[in-house]
Amino acid sequence: MIDKNMKRIFLIFFFILGGCSPNTPEDGSWTAFWNDDAGLMGFKDQNGKIRIEPRYTGFTTAKKFDSIVAVMEEKDGRTEIYYLTKSGKKVGRDHIYLFDNGPDCESEGFIRFRDKKTGLAGLLNGKGEMVVPAQYNDLTNVRSGRVIALKGARKKCPAGGMPADCDHFSWVGGMAYLIDTRNRIIIENFKPNANLDLSSLKTGDAPARDAKRQSFRGVDGRVYSFLDYEKEFRAWLDTAVQNPLSREKLIAISYKNIYFWKEPDGWTTEASRTFMNRNFKIIQNRLSELTKQNSDYFIASGGLNPFIYNGAEFDAYYNHCGEPKEWQYPVMDVVVNHKTKSDSYQDHFEFLRTDNGYRLISMTVRSGPLQ
């Protein structure tokens, strides 16, 4: 006869041997769905099984739920706002991190919170446990296990008003740190010149020789370097648009579809080969201007516009809340300035960083309209 202890050992052995665990039902993303009658939201697992019945309001922007999510619930005539884990744990009541009136979205299994009393920000893990205390003015989301944190700064309103009276403000002063998800400081006084690829970390005893990387001295004395997206893009662009820019080369560096503005339809999309065959000459002419010594252009970095670029093919470029992951897939907008005696205008060429390199995905040509 098998006693209780033997049964427990047998069950543990069974789970290990079978490559699963008692928490298997919680694995994978849960997808949001709505109750049409009440307009409330719940979550289903990958098999379509309802894990949480619809009970949350539209405050929640996450379309998927991996570990932890911000929710709002009307209960007994009261509104509750909190973070919910897959185990059903409710944490961070009234300590939600808000940006532009929307709640934070989990990133790599972590989510930010803001202490209601102090206004300072910290980080929770997927179990709802505080891993970074609320001691920073602000934090970025988690990027390859790292976070940029700001401490000792103050708010500044664009119109010079009081910080409490403005919805949009900037931080001034203070010191930025690169930390990990256990609040260990990696780099003090972290001042990157541009958006960095934090997943591209290399360490050494001396600054990186690669001109496309930025180097920083860590608190442990080692040198940490990261790929600078803008430097990477400029180096690539110099090669991509070198004369002669042939039709086939232009198609090769383009996304499979080109998005462009067309009157009166607005934003329109078309297969890149078809579009380039029809508009090659004007695009070749405009891009070739970048190679001229006196070319007047600049590069602005951003992310995909979810109102233009949507559908399953773009899912990887957004987080679960539909926000562009510009820290991983930036869009480089090449803005070319033109001046004539009677007018001035700009052309825009947008290049998306994909897993297969930069691709021309959108353009706006003001003079000599696209066909």
Side-chain angles (χ1 to χ4, degrees), residues 6 23 30 61 93 97 99 140 143 156 161 164 204 247 260 264 280 285 306 319 324 350 365 369:
M6 286 297 294
N23 294 324
W30 292 358
T61 57
R93 283 183 171 84
Y97 181 101
F99 177 76
T140 65
R143 304 172 182 182
K156 181 181 179 180
R247 189 189 309 264
F260 61 101
F280 171 67
N285 177 266
N319 64 13
E350 292 191 337
V365 176

Side-chain angles (χ1 to χ4, degrees), residues 40-271:
L40 299 177
M41 186 184 71
F43 289 93
K44 295 180 180 180
D45 65 19
Q46 292 177 320
N47 298 317
K49 181 179 179 181
I50 296 176
R51 291 292 181 174
I52 303 177
E53 293 286 348
R55 66 174 67 123
Y56 305 116
T57 68
F59 171 82
T60 300
T61 57
K63 302 299 185 292
K64 289 187 177 181
F65 176 13
D66 285 335
S67 303
I68 188 168
V69 67
V71 295
M72 177 186 287
E73 183 178 8
E74 300 288 342
K75 196 171 183 180
D76 299 327
R78 296 173 52 201
T79 299
E80 286 188 318
I81 303 175
Y82 53 87
Y83 289 120
L84 177 72
T85 70
K86 276 190 172 177
S87 66
K89 186 178 179 181
K90 300 178 181 180
V91 295
R93 283 183 171 84
D94 298 323
H95 294 285
I96 303 298
Y97 181 101
L98 296 172
F99 177 76
D100 206 15
N101 295 321
D104 195 28
C105 198
E106 71 174 303
S107 179
E108 300 181 18
F110 297 87
I111 202 163
R112 293 170 287 186
F113 73 96
R114 192 173 290 281
D115 187 280
K116 186 177 181 180
K117 293 182 179 179
T118 66
L120 298 177
L123 194 69
L124 303 174
N125 65 16
K127 296 179 181 179
E129 301 165 337
M130 183 175 64
V131 291
V132 174
Q135 62 185 47
Y136 298 100
N137 298 113
D138 216 345
L139 303 169
T140 65
N141 53 8
V142 178
R143 304 172 182 182
S144 299
R146 304 172 191 96
V147 178
I148 302 174
L150 180 64
K151 182 184 285 189
R154 59 184 177 83
K155 292 179 180 179
K156 181 181 179 180
C157 293
M162 297 298 293
D165 300 326
C166 65
D167 294 327
H168 300 280
F169 58 87
S170 59
W171 293 106
V172 295
M175 181 179 289
Y177 302 82
L178 184 66
I179 65 173
D180 65 15
T181 54
R182 287 194 275 178
N183 199 32
R184 296 180 299 191
I185 296 175
I186 303 170
I187 301 170
E188 290 182 333
N189 200 24
F190 187 60
K191 294 181 178 179
N193 293 331
N195 291 333
L196 299 184
D197 178 7
L198 294 186
S199 69
S200 66
L201 169 66
K202 290 184 179 180
T203 59
D205 297 324
R209 294 183 178 181
D210 187 344
K212 298 187 295 295
R213 302 183 70 85
Q214 283 186 248
S215 298
F216 307 85
R217 183 73 64 175
V219 296
D220 59 1
R222 293 187 297 171
V223 175
Y224 294 75
S225 73
F226 304 91
L227 181 69
D228 182 320
Y229 282 133
E230 184 172 333
K231 291 180 179 179
E232 175 194 50
F233 175 70
R234 284 184 180 276
W236 175 86
L237 185 66
D238 287 343
T239 301
V241 300
Q242 279 181 350
N243 288 325
L245 179 58
S246 68
R247 189 189 309 264
E248 287 304 316
K249 184 176 181 181
L250 183 57
I251 293 171
I253 65 171
S254 297
Y255 190 73
K256 65 180 182 179
N257 295 316
I258 296 293
Y259 292 73
F260 61 101
W261 184 267
K262 182 180 179 181
E263 296 290 354
D265 304 323
W267 283 105
T268 305
T269 182
E270 187 175 31

